[in-house]
Amino acid sequence: MFEGFELTRREGNGARLRVRHGGGGPPVLLLHGHPRTHATWHRVAPLLVAAGHTVVCPDLRGYGESDKPPSDPEHRPYSKRAMADDCLAVMRRLGHERFAVVGHDRGAYVATRLALDHPHAVSTLSVLDAVPLGEALHRCDARFAARWWHWFFLGQTDKPAERLIDADPDAWYGATPEQMGAEAYEDYRRAIHDPATVHAMCEDYRAGLGVDREHDDTDRRAGRRIRCPLQVLWATRDDMADLYGDVRDVWRDWAGDRLDGGPIASGHHIAEEAPDELVTLVRGFWQAAGAHA
């Protein structure tokens, strides 16, 4: 897994991240979702390196073996802004001032915040299976709540979810080595069996319902948009299309002049289930956008 890559720990912006990086050429930052670690990209990263790219895959703050800072009543240490600032600091320490970003699930929210807060650093943005956090909550209805109830279960604090999850993490999360690959599965399994990681992942969701929504709503009121070319991809065997139809339509008020994308034949964990198609679509987007081809 990740043959030829270096595994290091790098200082972010208040948290030290575990980072896998390798290759040469235009840099690409890959951001995983919940409850995965950077290892979810183990089938994608080598394809990008073989195509002439430098690839950087961190464990997000709180996830995997990255630091898990103490939280606060507003959960700000686990905001997507804090996570994005970590990623920017890591990329700069690796010598990358401007780079492409690909984010999946919770990582897509971090990637979006990175593009909004630091437009000078992000050359292109690809989001997988996500709409802006504030947008999702603004549009929330009974159908969304029934399908994405875990947002509210993980995000509430009156009866914290950690106790239930820690009782049987394997049953709660449900991934398999056949789906993920044996080494990636073991990395993920170490993470979900660490109560500190489970707590940090819940803090991510708590921030999502509060401070992250505030940040998105502030941007929405101000008319801020993603300046770089934006690609939106969603899995055909997930529920994004059922909730939103053409998912690109949700992003139109957030995008600049260039918005591309479409469905991809996969379940939710696209990097694990459809790596070749994902790399083809992302690289085609870069080429069409005139960046990172």
Side-chain angles (χ1 to χ4, degrees):
M1 187 173 70
F2 290 103
E3 184 177 356
F5 282 69
E6 184 177 357
L7 183 63
T8 63
R9 296 184 185 276
R10 299 281 176 163
E11 291 296 334
N13 188 45
R16 191 171 176 84
L17 306 189
R18 180 175 66 155
V19 183
R20 187 94 59 167
H21 58 98
V28 183
L29 174 66
L30 304 179
L31 301 179
H32 65 84
H34 170 265
R36 299 309 205 240
T37 72
H38 78 276
T40 194
W41 300 107
H42 75 100
R43 292 170 178 150
V44 168
L47 297 176
L48 290 173
V49 166
H53 299 277
T54 298
V55 177
V56 181
C57 311
D59 288 349
L60 295 172
R61 169 188 293 229
Y63 284 78
E65 295 181 15
S66 288
D67 282 356
K68 299 151 181 64
S71 196
D72 64 23
E74 295 182 331
H75 317 289
R76 289 184 181 274
Y78 290 88
S79 69
K80 307 311 153 289
R81 176 162 285 159
M83 292 182 178
D85 288 348
D86 282 337
C87 293
L88 180 65
V90 165
M91 292 300 280
R92 285 177 170 168
R93 286 186 169 89
L94 290 171
H96 308 305
E97 293 296 323
R98 187 166 171 82
F99 44 89
V101 184
V102 181
H104 173 252
D105 186 78
R106 306 302 288 187
Y109 308 135
V110 179
T112 300
R113 180 49 50 195
L114 183 57
L116 285 166
D117 285 359
H118 306 285
H120 58 283
V122 180
S123 59
T124 63
L125 173 63
S126 298
V127 295
L128 316 181
D129 264 357
V131 301
L133 261 170
E135 196 75 45
L137 293 169
H138 177 71
R139 294 167 179 252
C140 180
D141 57 14
R143 183 174 55 171
F144 179 92
R147 294 191 180 194
W148 289 38
W149 59 273
H150 65 282
W151 274 29
F152 309 103
F153 173 64
L154 297 172
Q156 53 81 40
T157 56
D158 288 343
K159 296 181 179 180
E162 289 91 329
R163 183 174 180 181
L164 178 60
I165 296 170
D166 288 337
D168 193 346
D170 294 311
W172 171 258
Y173 289 113
T176 67
E178 292 75 22
Q179 175 189 24
M180 298 183 64
E183 291 179 87
Y185 176 76
E186 286 305 316
D187 193 73
Y188 142 89
R189 195 166 183 270
R190 284 194 298 274
I192 65 171
H193 279 263
D194 179 0
T197 301
V198 172
H199 172 63
M201 292 192 294
C202 289
E203 285 294 295
D204 172 8
Y205 280 83
R206 290 162 188 152
L209 296 181
V211 63
D212 291 328
R213 182 179 189 176
E214 292 174 12
H215 293 157
D216 279 11
D217 287 351
T218 298
D219 286 339
R220 183 187 178 106
R221 287 191 298 268
R224 293 182 68 197
R225 291 174 176 260
I226 295 164
R227 297 183 193 174
C228 66
L230 171 63
Q231 180 185 44
V232 178
L233 299 172
W234 62 95
T236 56
R237 296 193 298 276
D238 202 5
D239 53 12
M240 296 295 289
D242 291 339
L243 289 170
Y244 302 114
D246 187 333
V247 184
R248 288 169 295 191
D249 290 340
V250 183
W251 285 91
R252 294 199 189 279
D253 288 342
W254 295 82
D257 296 333
R258 184 75 187 235
L259 174 62
D260 293 304
I264 184 169
S266 177
H268 177 62
H269 293 286
I270 297 171
E272 297 166 10
E273 299 178 43
D276 294 280
E277 185 177 359
L278 175 59
V279 168
T280 297
L281 289 172
V282 169
R283 293 197 70 240
F285 165 64
W286 293 338
Q287 185 173 21
H292 282 74

